[in-house]
Amino acid sequence: MIRLDPSSRIPVYQQIKEQITELIVMGVFPTESRLPSVRALATETGLNPNTVQKAYQELESEGIIYTVGGKGCFVGGRESAAAAIRQKAMDELAQALRQGRLAGLDRAIAQELLEQCYGGGEP
């Protein structure tokens, strides 16, 4: 279920966090469902449990999941997960626009690309 890319610049715990967030938004993990235990996910991915625990702690601090002592981690809701994905997309878009501007991309071309993406066409 969780696919890790060891050659990615993105830290492994961040990859786990992002993929769980996406799975929640897609409905694979419905609201109030129990997530795999830290130990089970660590075994499945071949990672140190501390790495998985860090991902879960960040998800919890963002309100995406919550922990019930002795029972495990549960999905808090799709809204929090969707908000996290929107924020990540906004950050990446802002970064891409800054890079485009530095590279000489003018506003008209950026707007045209935006219209193509939201108008159904692929840039």
Side-chain angles (χ1 to χ4, degrees), residues 19 21-29 78:
Q19 288 183 43
T21 302
E22 290 170 7
L23 291 169
I24 292 169
V25 170
M26 291 186 311
V28 173
F29 291 125
R78 287 179 70 176

Side-chain angles (χ1 to χ4, degrees), residues 51-102:
T51 303
V52 176
Q53 183 63 39
K54 183 172 183 177
Y56 277 20
Q57 285 173 336
E58 288 202 6
L59 287 165
E60 186 166 20
S61 72
E62 292 178 13
I64 296 171
I65 67 171
Y66 64 94
T67 302
V68 176
K71 297 200 186 268
C73 295
F74 296 83
V75 175
R78 287 179 70 176
E79 300 80 24
S80 301
I85 290 175
R86 273 193 304 276
Q87 185 60 53
K88 181 178 183 273
M90 288 173 26
D91 294 345
E92 289 175 357
L93 180 58
Q95 177 64 25
L97 290 170
R98 282 192 292 275
Q99 288 177 341
R101 191 177 67 213
L102 286 172

Side-chain angles (χ1 to χ4, degrees), residues 15-60:
Q15 291 179 48
I16 293 169
K17 181 182 155 192
E18 289 174 4
Q19 288 183 43
I20 288 175
T21 302
E22 290 170 7
L23 291 169
I24 292 169
V25 170
M26 291 186 311
V28 173
F29 291 125
T31 302
E32 303 301 326
S33 66
R34 186 173 187 271
L35 293 173
S37 70
V38 168
R39 185 173 293 153
L41 189 54
T43 300
E44 177 185 324
T45 57
L47 296 172
N48 184 310
N50 292 332
T51 303
V52 176
Q53 183 63 39
K54 183 172 183 177
Y56 277 20
Q57 285 173 336
E58 288 202 6
L59 287 165
E60 186 166 20

